[in-house]
């Protein structure tokens, strides 16, 4: 039957996940260069508020404050030996929040990239990457996470290492990569290549997709690429709230709640099941997204022309032909 999370995803037309972690913590006082993961100990009440704001806004899934709680990233803050503990604490805080609600809310253990470049281009070996990801995942599991959530990955080698590490942890997992200019990750991976990658690994994620990147229009285009290449997969869309702008010494995102509501509906209509926001996405955005998903019926796949008209311009024109609306996409349930 699978875990409760797997059963929920397979029986739902859509689920709302949360918004930003880093940009919301900056609003709470986190300084550039500080490790957000240390706030799990220093300011647990602020992390609790971050999570509660997301769930109160309607999120069914929210991510732990553990994006960088692996040994390689934490060593930059002289606490590389605390990866397990900080990961566990992040999940414990999130678990306490989730358990206060009388509806089903799932804790996703956030796992970001190691911060190192893997062989053969860099020096990080597959074996060490597996060890690093396993330590973090084990802490998240012991802290009470319902699933593992790999995010913002650029290199296929790193995705493979995390998949192997997660195979030793008895939790479902999902994975997203970040696609930037020209529809590829920083290391050159295309959406089609990501699908090929997932088909080649033994421990496949139960859902996959895209997060962050250059903006919601580009992310929607990526989701459509996934849906075309792998039509029976459970897809994730977690786009930024507009485009970042530097205002009075701070980075602000210009996406309004109304724009993010349109994005959420378009993401669902494009084939995504798990929908949320990334950088710049606040609780007011999530409230609008939830309302739109609840009140607007499943519609046709939006054309790229419609996305550009209603959401904003693409960062690069990597397709020459604007596609016409397609029939509704029906997702397979297992």
């Amino acid at each position: 039957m699978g875990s409760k999370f797997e059963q929920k995803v397979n029986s739902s037309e859509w689920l709302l996940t949360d918004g930003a972690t880093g940009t919301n913590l900056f609003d709470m006082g986190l300084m550039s260069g500080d490790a957000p993961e240390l706030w799990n100990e220093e300011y647990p009440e602020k992390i609790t508020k971050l999570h509660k704001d997301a769930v109160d806004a309607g999120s069914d899934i929210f991510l732990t404050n553990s994006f960088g709680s692996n040994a390689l990233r934490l060593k930059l803050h002289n606490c590389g030996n605390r990866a397990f503990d900080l990961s566990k604490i992040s999940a414990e805080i999130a678990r306490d929040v989730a358990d206060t609600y009388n509806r089903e809310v799932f804790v996703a253990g956030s796992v970001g990239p190691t911060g190192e470049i893997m062989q053969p281009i860099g020096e990080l070996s597959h074996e060490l990457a597996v060890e690093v990801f396993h330590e973090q995942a084990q802490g998240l599991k012991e802290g009470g996470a319902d699933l593992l959530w790999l995010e913002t990955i650029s290199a296929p080698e790193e995705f493979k290492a995390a998949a192997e590490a997660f195979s030793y942890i008895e939790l479902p997992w999902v994975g997203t990569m970040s696609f930037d200019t020209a529809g590829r990750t920083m290391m050159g991976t295309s959406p089609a290549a990501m699908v090929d990658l997932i088909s080649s690994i033994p421990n496949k994620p139960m859902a996959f997709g895209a997060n962050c990147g250059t903006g919601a229009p580009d992310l929607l285009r990526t989701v459509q690429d996934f849906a075309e290449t792998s039509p029976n997969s459970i897809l994730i869309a977690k786009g930024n709230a507009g485009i970042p702008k530097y205002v009075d010494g701070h980075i602000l995102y210009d996406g309004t709640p109304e724009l993010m509501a349109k994005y959420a509906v378009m993401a669902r209509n494009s084939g995504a099941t798990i929908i949320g926001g990334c950088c710049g996405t606040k609780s007011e955005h999530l409230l609008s997204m939830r309302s739109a998903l609840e009140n607007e019926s499943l519609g046709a796949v939006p054309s790229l022309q419609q996305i550009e008209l209603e959401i904003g311009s693409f960062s690069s024109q990597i397709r020459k032909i604007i596609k016409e609306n397609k029939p509704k996409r029906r997702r397979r349930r297992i």
Side-chain angles (χ1 to χ4, degrees), residues 9-77:
V9 172
N10 282 313
S11 63
S12 302
E13 183 179 280
W14 56 268
L15 292 172
L16 183 68
T17 186
D18 60 358
T21 296
T23 52
N24 283 324
L25 292 183
F26 284 132
D27 288 345
M28 294 182 185
L30 182 71
M31 301 301 292
S32 179
D34 289 349
E37 296 75 23
L38 294 178
W39 272 31
N40 293 319
E41 283 189 323
E42 295 171 3
Y43 304 106
E45 70 284 354
K46 293 186 178 182
I47 306 304
T48 295
K49 183 181 186 307
L50 173 75
H51 296 330
K52 284 184 64 64
D53 285 350
V55 181
D56 288 344
S59 293
D60 303 296
I61 309 160
F62 67 95
L63 277 60
T64 56
N65 179 38
S66 57
F67 179 84
S69 65
N70 67 70
L72 296 176
R73 290 180 73 101
L74 288 173
K75 74 177 182 180
L76 302 175
H77 304 277

Side-chain angles (χ1 to χ4, degrees), residues 5 90 103 113 150 193 199 220 238-239 253 279-280 283 287:
F5 177 71
S90 75
R103 63 183 179 91
L150 183 68
S199 68
L220 290 172
K238 211 168 189 286
Y253 285 78
C279 299
S283 56
L287 280 167

